[in-house]
Amino acid sequence: TQLLEQSPQFLSIQEGENLTVYCNSSSVFSSLQWYRQEPGEGPVLLVTVVTGGEVKKLKRLTFQFGDARKDSSLHITAAQPGDTGLYLCAGGYGGSNYKLTFGKGTLLTVNP
Amino acid sequence: NAGVTQTPKFQVLKTGQSMTLQCAQDMNHNSMYWYRQDPGMGLRLIYYSASEGTTDKGEVPNGYNVSRLNKREFSLRLESAAPSQTSVYFCASRLGGVRGEQYFGPGTRLTVT
């Protein structure tokens, strides 16, 4: 089983602050995905990165895949209350039997 | 398009009872997955089906069985429910490819007493 360590588990910040969430593993992944989940709903994909060193930006969110494809980070600039939610990283592996292994999630609360 | 649908949304079982969770997708996706989500544990893969006609165990398969009924439907069965199976269950589907997004259903909240 591929393991993915996500940190921090909880994060409570004020509106306007910056934050970074980390996912780390000793395993190499073919892709790294970030999902966001609202209470009572299923996760929704934010981004997929597949190339070592790849950086993707989605408005105020910046995602980076590590050079060795073992780790990733999510950086949010000037957080807003609407960013509140559970953020999940997921590493893809398995070739034709493609599967995702998920981190345990980061519960972000942005206070106005 | 409904995407991924799951039934029921909520269920309460007594220990030892059986039930089947239903999942269907209308996106013509090849792969389907069942996960459980517990507080502090993230999403853990129970079973998956890479394509119609195949099923394989994931990380936590004990106590569960699955059936890939056709390309659209993938069901999860609990033969003899235990309190440790109290969880939120998510079904997901995926078209394919390394960038392929997994689309999740709304979940089934199961309580076993």
Side-chain angles (χ1 to χ4, degrees):
Chain A
T1 302
Q2 318 272 78
L3 293 176
L4 204 46
E5 300 286 338
Q6 186 172 346
S7 63
Q9 191 173 355
F10 300 97
L11 197 51
S12 180
I13 61 172
Q14 295 300 121
E15 183 176 0
E17 292 184 357
N18 301 332
L19 66 114
T20 303
V21 178
Y22 300 93
C23 271
N24 296 289
S25 177
S26 58
S27 303
V28 176
F29 293 105
S30 57
S31 67
L32 201 297
Q33 299 184 329
W34 285 89
Y35 290 79
R36 180 178 161 184
Q37 186 178 17
E38 301 286 350
E41 299 180 6
V44 176
L45 182 71
L46 294 173
V47 77
T48 301
V49 284
V50 300
T51 306
E54 184 173 355
V55 177
K56 279 199 169 180
K57 294 194 175 185
L58 191 66
K59 296 184 181 177
R60 293 177 293 99
L61 279 60
T62 301
F63 305 86
Q64 185 163 6
F65 202 11
D67 291 341
R69 291 186 290 132
K70 295 181 179 181
D71 55 85
S72 181
S73 63
L74 157 61
H75 183 79
I76 301 179
T77 303
Q80 299 177 359
D83 295 327
T84 293
L86 180 66
Y87 290 82
L88 297 158
C89 62
Y93 67 100
S96 58
N97 285 334
Y98 185 90
K99 298 177 286 293
L100 291 176
T101 189
F102 281 81
K104 294 183 178 180
T106 295
L107 186 58
L108 171 65
T109 303
V110 182
N111 303 296
Chain B
N1 271 358
V4 179
T5 57
Q6 291 183 237
T7 55
K9 281 193 71 69
F10 302 93
Q11 184 71 49
V12 178
L13 291 178
K14 293 189 188 310
T15 298
Q17 287 184 322
S18 63
M19 80 161 294
T20 300
L21 281 65
Q22 306 287 353
C23 174
Q25 53 94 6
D26 62 2
M27 296 174 283
N28 202 35
H29 285 173
N30 296 315
S31 304
M32 297 186 74
Y33 306 81
W34 276 105
Y35 294 90
R36 60 179 290 174
Q37 187 174 34
D38 303 291
M41 297 297 293
L43 283 155
R44 292 182 292 170
L45 182 65
I46 305 171
Y47 270 93
Y48 68 101
S49 171
S51 60
E52 186 179 358
T54 69
T55 60
D56 279 293
K57 295 178 181 179
E59 182 186 351
V60 288
N62 290 346
Y64 305 96
N65 284 301
V66 291
S67 295
R68 183 77 184 264
L69 304 169
N70 48 54
K71 193 169 187 179
R72 289 187 64 247
E73 298 171 289
F74 189 37
S75 63
L76 178 72
R77 182 159 179 85
L78 287 70
E79 290 292 350
S80 179
S84 61
Q85 294 178 304
T86 293
S87 187
V88 181
Y89 291 86
F90 287 100
C91 176
S93 72
R94 182 174 173 274
L95 178 61
V98 72
R99 286 190 182 271
E101 174 180 355
Q102 280 196 10
Y103 291 83
F104 285 82
T108 294
R109 186 174 294 275
L110 174 67
T111 302
V112 183
T113 61

